[in-house]
């Protein structure tokens, strides 16, 4: 009876987000494009689902690969990967370039890094996807095993319906490359939070209403 009651108070919430794939043909530097792919998916979501049409989304580019390449070249991509600082600065620069000059003084963009399940849930509940970085190398957890050693994904939801497993992050994984040379397109993956929390950094984005710019 107690177990059943505890299960009923747990929750699940998931956003509908267009997946991106860092390995698809046309991506210039696929091996280090997980950060740009995550940023591209985040920008596309805010353009399409959160009504910020002034943000260049997929339709602004000839393909998703071109969108990823643009972000890689102009907003923080690097052969060794994208740092959290590079990601936050890249998001801010991308959005600043999209805003008309006279509207930038309102400072509507809020980008913040954190690590905490309650904050993550609050962002998802507010319909705001969260960029999630896994990095065991700079967390000095070299000998431990995690869902990823070093990777960016886009957090699109959570699941707390299994009290034994604990909270689960629902993410878009940016695709997988196979040894054969092929790849699997970006898809949903479920990752237990607690076994991975030591190497996770989350990046939240909020864009307030901008006077003079229609949001839909």
């Amino acid at each position: 009876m107690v177990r059943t009651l505890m299960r009923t108070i747990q929750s699940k919430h998931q956003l509908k987000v267009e997946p991106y794939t860092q390995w698809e043909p046309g991506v210039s530097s696929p091996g280090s494009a997980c950060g740009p792919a995550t940023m591209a998916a985040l920008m596309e979501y805010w353009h399409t689902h959160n009504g910020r049409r002034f943000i260049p989304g997929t339709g602004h580019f000839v393909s998703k690969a071109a969108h990823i390449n643009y972000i890689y070249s102009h907003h923080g991509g690097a052969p060794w990967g994208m740092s959290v600082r590079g990601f936050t600065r890249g998001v801010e620069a991308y959005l600043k370039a999209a805003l008309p000059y006279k509207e930038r003084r309102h400072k509507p963009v809020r980008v913040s890094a954190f690590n905490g399940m309650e904050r993550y849930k609050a962002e998802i509940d507010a319909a705001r996807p969260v960029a999630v970085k896994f990095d065991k190398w700079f967390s000095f957890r070299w000998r431990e095993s995690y869902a990823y050693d070093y990777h960016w994904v886009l957090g699109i939801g959570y699941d707390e319906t299994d009290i034994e497993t604990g909270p689960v992050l629902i993410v878009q994984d940016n695709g997988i490359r196979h040894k054969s040379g092929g790849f699997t397109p970006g898809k949903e993956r479920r990752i237990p939070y607690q076994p991975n929390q030591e190497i996770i950094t989350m990046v939240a984005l909020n864009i307030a209403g901008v006077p003079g710019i229609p949001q839909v």
Side-chain angles (χ1 to χ4, degrees):
M1 177 66 179
V2 173
R3 181 184 177 88
T4 301
L5 178 61
M6 290 181 69
R7 284 183 179 276
T8 62
I9 64 175
Q10 302 304 307
S11 58
K12 179 180 179 180
H13 192 177
Q14 184 171 344
L15 305 174
K16 184 177 180 180
V17 177
E18 181 71 17
Y20 272 63
T21 303
Q22 69 187 92
W23 303 103
E24 70 175 78
V27 175
S28 299
S29 303
S32 55
C34 58
T38 297
M39 193 186 302
L42 182 62
M43 296 299 98
E44 173 63 18
Y45 178 88
W46 275 89
H47 171 87
T48 303
H49 294 281
N50 275 2
R52 275 35 176 205
R53 298 293 185 182
F54 63 89
I55 301 173
T58 303
H60 184 79
F61 302 89
V62 297
S63 65
K64 288 183 178 179
H67 194 183
I68 293 171
N69 290 341
Y70 173 82
I71 290 174
Y72 193 104
S73 299
H74 296 86
H75 296 300
W80 52 86
M82 183 178 280
S83 67
V84 171
R85 187 179 183 184
F87 190 95
T88 58
R89 286 187 168 185
V91 168
E92 290 170 345
Y94 189 106
L95 294 172
K96 182 178 180 180
L99 282 168
Y101 181 78
K102 66 179 181 178
E103 303 298 347
R104 295 175 189 174
R105 67 182 185 275
H106 298 291
K107 298 181 179 179
V109 177
R110 300 288 185 271
V111 185
S112 57
F114 66 99
N115 183 5
M117 195 63 199
E118 292 305 312
R119 170 73 186 282
Y120 175 85
K121 287 165 52 182
E123 294 295 323
I124 298 298
D125 290 346
R128 297 190 293 262
V130 176
V132 182
K133 185 181 185 183
F134 294 75
D135 182 359
K136 81 174 189 178
W137 306 120
F138 289 94
S139 299
F140 303 103
R141 302 283 179 176
W142 303 331
R143 297 185 179 182
E144 304 296 330
S145 180
Y146 300 99
Y148 299 108
D149 290 343
Y150 188 95
H151 194 46
W152 281 98
V153 297
L154 187 62
I156 62 172
Y158 62 87
D159 188 346
E160 292 184 307
T161 57
D162 191 328
I163 59 175
E164 294 180 353
T165 302
V168 171
L169 304 176
I170 304 174
V171 307
Q172 293 284 7
D173 68 0
N174 292 319
I176 300 173
R177 179 178 60 179
H178 304 298
K179 293 181 179 179
S180 63
F183 69 93
T184 299
K187 63 180 182 179
E188 176 186 314
R189 182 176 177 183
R190 300 166 63 86
I191 300 175
Y193 172 69
Q194 292 173 347
N196 294 279
Q197 67 179 104
E198 294 178 326
I199 66 161
I200 283 176
T201 303
M202 300 170 171
V203 178
L205 168 64
N206 192 6
I207 306 173
V210 182
I213 297 181
Q215 303 302 300
V216 295

